Amino acid sequence: MNPSSHDADAVIVGSGPGGATAADVLTAAGWSVIVLEKGRNHLLDLEPPYELKGDFSNDEIKFTRRHFLGPDPLLEPRAFRRSDADGDHLLLGEVNNLPSGVGGGAVHADAKMPRFRELDFRLLSERGPIDGADLDDWPLDYAELEPCYAEAERLVGVAGEAGVNPYESWRSGPYPMAPGPDMYGAILSAEAATRMGYHPYRAPTGINTTDYDGRPSCNNCGFCGQYGCPIHAKGDAVASLRRALRSGRCEIRPRAMATEVVLDEAGRRARAVRYLDAVGDGHEVTAAHVVLAGGAFETPRLLLRGGIANSSGLVGRYLMFHFQTYVAASFPFSLHPNRGRTVTHHHDDFVAPNAEDLAAARQAGLPWFSGGTVEHGGGTGPITEALNCPPGPLHKELMRSSMLRDRLWVFTMQGEDMPQAVNRVDLHPSARDVHGLPAGRVTYSPHRHEIAASAYWGPKLEAIHIEAGASWTATTTSPPTDRDSAGAMGWAPVSRHVMGTCRMGTDPRTSVVDAHGRFHDVENMICADSSVFVTSSGYNPTLTIVALAIRASRALAGIQPERRAG
Amino acid sequence: MAAACERLIPADESSGAAAAGAADYIDGLLGAFRFDPPHVWAGGPFSGRAGGEASFSDFTPLDPMDELAWRTRIEGSRGRVEREWNGPVTGLQERYEDGIAALGADFAGLGSADQDARLDAVPEFRSLLYEHACEAMYGPPEYGGNRHLAGWRSIGFEGDVQPRGWSDDEVSEP
Ligand SMILES: Cc1cc2nc3c(=O)[nH]c(=O)nc-3n(C[C@H](O)[C@H](O)[C@H](O)COP(=O)(O)OP(=O)(O)OC[C@H]3O[C@@H](n4cnc5c(N)ncnc54)[C@H](O)[C@@H]3O)c2cc1C
Ligand code: SF4
């Protein structure tokens, strides 16, 4: 590339898993990149030798109560409503906030990194349509993505065990690391699930189980999901960002809020990105290419503000979350879920409905339904537990007996969420962020598919807990299934798996980007985050985000793709 | 304030919120900007309780954006345009002043039933106080609560464990 007429070969908006991967791949291809990140940098020094910072800690106040990883809902409020009937909004403030800072949401994820299945890429053809759901096949298949999945596992450093999960798709090689130790609660729940005919397996996690990439092995501290790792045993996104920085061709600018993609006169090519710095001063970075990776909420917000890349009218639409079914159980003895990586096992039996499951779907008036991967986990901190215990004379006794923390084990089913055009991210008509920009707004209601699937599989999960020796179980969902009640988890989906708002496809009339993440309307701009997902699958999205970002960045840099057969 | 927190998390055979330092915790939050760096986020990566060099007490510096958010949250917008991008914000300091005034100067000397009645009369303040009492009781002691680790000890919680962590056996064995 010839960067002489530009500040960089590419400007990347966002430094989460998608943006970090793009920076890694593009710098490895010899490109210069500038990464704009609206949040702060608590992750690594941005000057050589790029030491990892010591800002993360086992501190429940800092991470779960005081917005340490951002975004601060006062500075960047988001709005939520179930449908237009709720008026401008039902909630304003903290809505589904994924961390905002160098490393993005990956920093405080507990990093389960499964692949999608082959079927997930051709759901419409394989399973058929569902009324009211805008299902489609992806414009690529698993075989095309497999080399990128394998590369993603190496770049991040994923620990896992191949060949154990009967529902996993074929793989071209083993995981880079063996799995870490099983949590005690997971041993009990996995054994019970096995006795009941299910197939639990050790979850693939982007967490070191040995020294890897110059970072240490996880020491099981237990402050994992929602926390930054104090010893940097989590690979995503730090591994990619550090490699990109070490290339000498990457510059990361924290507290740089991208406000506008500037197009050329013909409106077909991006030539620059404008941003505001920490004190609100405006800047412009020119680049030969633009990579948008602000996440599936912020990317459409940026595009909608500028009214670009939206000839289809679909930017922001088909918003999906995973429909989460939480099945909690309390045991008569300690499970010490504060030791370990929050989740060490999954089972996937509910992503592959059998004849009995399909009969239940038909009874519910659906041609089929599908659940999602089930995480076996624990690990709430005592402040969160205390807030769920009542105040008053019983408080201390309840906290000592700890049925809501030390004796609690939870199944979380990441239920497949149907894409629906009415579910969307758009701009709030009056609420503003600290920069004076319109706040983003989620309009979302689940399809009856998700509600029926959750109602069907929830009791089966309760039965596994009972088989494992639980004293009681309780099921709740997010979002709630009852339209008249916010339920235990509130109105807005709490799932941090946000997808679909710049859908991928071959037809510019029905999609926003092509099969390589390139915007149909802006030929030198790609999207490298989960906005491009066509369907949600029932799997945690981040490994697929990284794999797609590898593929899109390689295509941008003109690198020929590999293809392997299964 | 201590009496109100104690009513929400009363002592039994173990300490309640007052002895665990809830009032100091709340005072620390409301007065975060008396310190430099402000006492908003404790430092990292280790407290020293499980090895490593103790660094929680070296609070993390705020950048201008963080400071704007936390001053607005604690002090309120108080009519300053640069804090009112989404309209006026009532700060925690004012909410506490009003809440404590509503509980009454005689609150500490009242019987439990009367204390409950006063707290129930201000439900929003009661839930704010409860949130902060829980944070004080069960959060890291560097924020002013959990005095002598009274909160964690009373529930058998080990607290922060880095950099020692847990051994594989401690994770997997009963
Ligand atoms: C507690 C928790 C646990 C999770 N666990 C898992 C898990 O186990 N497995 C899994 O697969 N996923 C998990 N996730 C979800 C995972 O974090 C996300 O899927 C992932 O981070 C998305 O990556 P991304 O790059 O698309 O976006 P993000 O990670 O959201 O990164 C986007 C970045 O862009 C920045 N940005 C946005 N707009 C702008 C702008 N205009 N200008 C400049 N910068 C901008 C943001 O500040 C952010 O840092 C979890 C999330 C949370 C919160
Ligand atoms: S459990 Fe492991 S990966 Fe998670 S924060 Fe602790 S040391 Fe880091």
Side-chain angles (χ1 to χ4, degrees):
Chain A
M1 291 296 294
N2 169 16
S4 55
S5 56
H6 304 286
D7 296 324
D9 294 324
V11 57
I12 300 173
V13 177
S15 65
T21 305
D24 195 1
V25 172
L26 293 176
T27 52
W31 285 27
S32 61
V33 304
I34 294 174
V35 181
L36 303 178
E37 168 52 60
K38 73 178 167 70
R40 241 186 110 169
N41 175 28
H42 291 295
L43 192 64
L44 78 176
D45 287 344
L46 301 179
E47 299 300 328
Y50 313 111
E51 295 287 341
L52 302 178
K53 283 179 177 277
D55 292 9
F56 300 151
S57 49
N58 289 175
D59 179 343
E60 195 179 2
I61 289 181
K62 183 165 139 185
F63 284 87
T64 73
R65 309 291 305 159
R66 295 195 183 176
H67 316 291
F68 179 64
L69 290 177
D72 191 306
L74 265 186
L75 300 174
E76 300 180 62
R78 290 176 171 186
F80 172 79
R81 57 182 185 166
R82 292 165 299 178
S83 66
D84 297 2
D86 281 333
D88 285 351
H89 61 259
L90 189 62
L91 305 171
L92 182 65
E94 186 156 5
V95 172
N96 206 272
N97 285 357
L98 266 172
S100 178
V102 173
V107 168
H108 87 166
D110 43 317
K112 284 85 64 184
M113 298 195 101
R115 299 177 177 199
F116 285 8
R117 302 174 74 216
E118 287 180 276
L119 177 143
D120 289 320
F121 296 93
R122 39 190 168 81
L123 196 61
L124 180 62
S125 311
E126 294 276 336
R127 294 226 163 110
I130 290 185
D131 269 357
D134 300 300
L135 283 170
D136 207 345
D137 291 345
W138 293 49
L140 74 162
D141 62 22
Y142 180 84
E144 284 170 80
L145 201 57
E146 202 283 339
C148 298
Y149 269 136
E151 183 69 13
E153 287 167 350
R154 277 193 298 278
L155 292 180
V156 169
V158 178
E161 192 176 27
V164 179
N165 171 18
Y167 303 103
E168 77 178 348
S169 290
W170 59 271
R171 339 173 16 98
S172 54
Y175 285 96
M177 282 177 276
D182 304 338
M183 288 167 80
Y184 174 54
I187 293 175
L188 300 184
S189 60
E191 283 174 358
T194 304
R195 287 196 296 277
M196 296 183 72
Y198 303 115
H199 301 85
Y201 61 98
R202 295 188 170 91
T205 43
I207 292 178
N208 286 359
T209 55
T210 180
D211 287 0
Y212 187 88
D213 181 49
R215 291 172 295 102
S217 175
C218 162
N219 63 20
N220 308 306
C221 77
F223 289 77
C224 203
Q226 300 191 21
Y227 295 83
C229 178
I231 60 168
H232 294 283
K234 297 179 186 176
D236 194 16
V238 72
S240 292
L241 290 175
R242 196 162 57 155
R243 256 192 313 274
L245 286 168
R246 282 177 173 162
S247 74
R249 289 185 284 275
C250 172
E251 185 194 338
I252 300 176
R253 296 188 188 171
R255 285 293 196 213
M257 168 72 179
T259 52
E260 188 185 349
V261 178
V262 186
L263 301 184
D264 66 4
E265 275 178 15
R268 291 291 303 167
R269 292 181 66 82
R271 61 167 192 80
V273 175
R274 296 205 173 115
Y275 71 91
L276 297 170
D277 67 17
V279 291
D281 289 341
H283 304 265
E284 185 173 290
V285 191
T286 59
H289 302 88
V290 171
V291 179
L292 297 187
F297 184 95
E298 291 293 338
T299 289
R301 182 174 168 230
L302 174 63
L303 292 172
L304 289 170
R305 227 169 29 229
I308 65 168
N310 197 17
S311 63
S312 62
L314 296 176
V315 168
R317 295 202 175 260
Y318 304 119
L319 169 68
M320 296 171 283
F321 299 97
H322 282 136
F323 187 89
Q324 295 188 319
T325 306
Y326 297 93
V327 183
S330 196
F331 285 72
F333 46 83
S334 167
L335 302 171
H336 54 74
N338 58 319
R339 305 179 192 175
R341 292 155 292 148
T342 308
V343 170
T344 57
H345 288 62
H346 279 206
H347 71 261
D348 292 355
D349 300 76
F350 307 158
V351 299
N354 59 28
E356 190 185 324
D357 305 332
L358 291 173
R362 283 190 292 274
Q363 257 186 350
L366 291 156
W368 56 271
F369 60 32
S370 174
T373 191
V374 176
E375 302 175 357
H376 298 212
T380 293
I383 297 175
T384 310
E385 178 187 27
L387 292 168
N388 287 319
C389 286
L394 282 179
H395 175 93
K396 292 297 300 271
E397 197 182 317
L398 287 169
M399 286 296 289
R400 265 195 308 275
S401 78
S402 200
M403 67 179 176
L404 296 181
R405 182 182 56 83
D406 190 51
R407 296 193 283 121
L408 190 77
W409 199 247
V410 182
F411 291 134
T412 305
M413 184 170 83
Q414 304 288 359
E416 172 135 27
D417 185 11
M418 289 296 114
Q420 301 175 72
V422 287
N423 286 343
R424 62 194 187 276
V425 170
D426 69 359
L427 304 178
H428 193 282
S430 55
R432 294 290 177 266
D433 71 9
V434 66
H435 306 291
L437 302 168
R441 171 173 67 181
V442 164
T443 303
Y444 176 89
S445 288
H447 187 278
R448 64 196 170 84
H449 162 274
E450 288 83 83
I451 294 172
S454 171
Y456 175 71
W457 274 296
K460 293 184 187 294
L461 291 171
E462 294 199 10
I464 303 176
H465 278 315
I466 297 297
E467 169 69 20
S471 318
W472 56 257
T473 64
T475 298
T476 184
T477 68
S478 177
T481 51
D482 177 357
R483 254 194 103 73
D484 298 325
S485 155
M489 317 287 293
W491 291 113
V494 298
S495 164
R496 307 299 162 94
H497 303 166
V498 190
M499 297 160 278
T501 49
C502 291
R503 183 182 250 207
M504 179 183 265
T506 47
D507 184 346
R509 289 166 307 180
T510 56
S511 59
V512 178
V513 299
D514 72 12
H516 290 94
R518 191 183 295 257
F519 284 87
H520 294 304
D521 294 353
V522 185
E523 58 203 37
N524 62 338
M525 184 163 87
I526 62 168
C527 180
D529 61 38
S530 49
S531 305
V532 305
F533 285 25
V534 179
T535 50
S536 64
S537 89
Y539 284 102
N540 318 62
T542 305
L543 191 77
T544 302
I545 297 174
V546 175
L548 289 169
I550 293 172
R551 180 179 143 92
S553 306
R554 289 222 168 112
L556 190 69
I559 300 169
Q560 285 305 312
E562 262 180 275
R563 187 186 170 103
R564 297 198 188 110
Chain B
M1 196 143 76
C5 291
E6 181 68 13
R7 189 63 209 138
L8 297 174
I9 306 186
D12 52 9
E13 70 251 39
S14 63
S15 326
D24 287 349
Y25 172 83
I26 294 166
D27 194 45
L29 174 59
L30 301 183
F33 285 95
R34 288 198 306 260
F35 303 92
D36 185 19
H39 279 194
V40 172
W41 295 317
F46 311 131
S47 72
R49 285 182 282 275
E53 199 180 314
S55 54
F56 276 28
S57 299
D58 304 329
F59 276 70
T60 310
L62 304 187
D63 77 0
M65 224 32 137
D66 299 326
E67 179 162 345
L68 177 61
W70 280 94
R71 280 201 185 272
T72 306
R73 177 170 288 118
I74 291 171
E75 297 168 359
S77 57
R78 299 186 187 241
R80 297 168 67 162
V81 275
E82 71 276 17
R83 296 186 187 176
E84 298 202 337
W85 58 91
N86 246 338
V89 178
T90 308
L92 287 170
Q93 290 172 345
E94 193 179 332
R95 290 174 68 191
Y96 266 95
E97 279 157 25
D98 293 351
I100 297 289
L103 291 183
D106 57 345
F107 183 86
L110 298 176
S112 346
D114 289 335
Q115 286 188 339
D116 285 347
R118 295 261 179 102
L119 282 163
D120 290 346
V122 282
E124 275 186 29
F125 181 60
R126 183 180 187 268
S127 32
L128 179 72
L129 206 56
Y130 185 56
E131 277 181 36
H132 288 156
C134 291
E135 292 171 9
M137 193 80 209
Y138 305 113
E142 287 77 4
Y143 293 91
N146 195 4
R147 196 179 286 155
H148 310 302
L149 306 185
W152 288 345
R153 290 214 171 105
S154 69
I155 57 168
F157 181 65
E158 295 84 351
D160 55 286
V161 293
Q162 287 284 9
R164 187 192 68 225
W166 297 102
S167 70
D168 289 5
D169 282 350
E170 285 170 320
V171 173
S172 303
E173 299 291 323

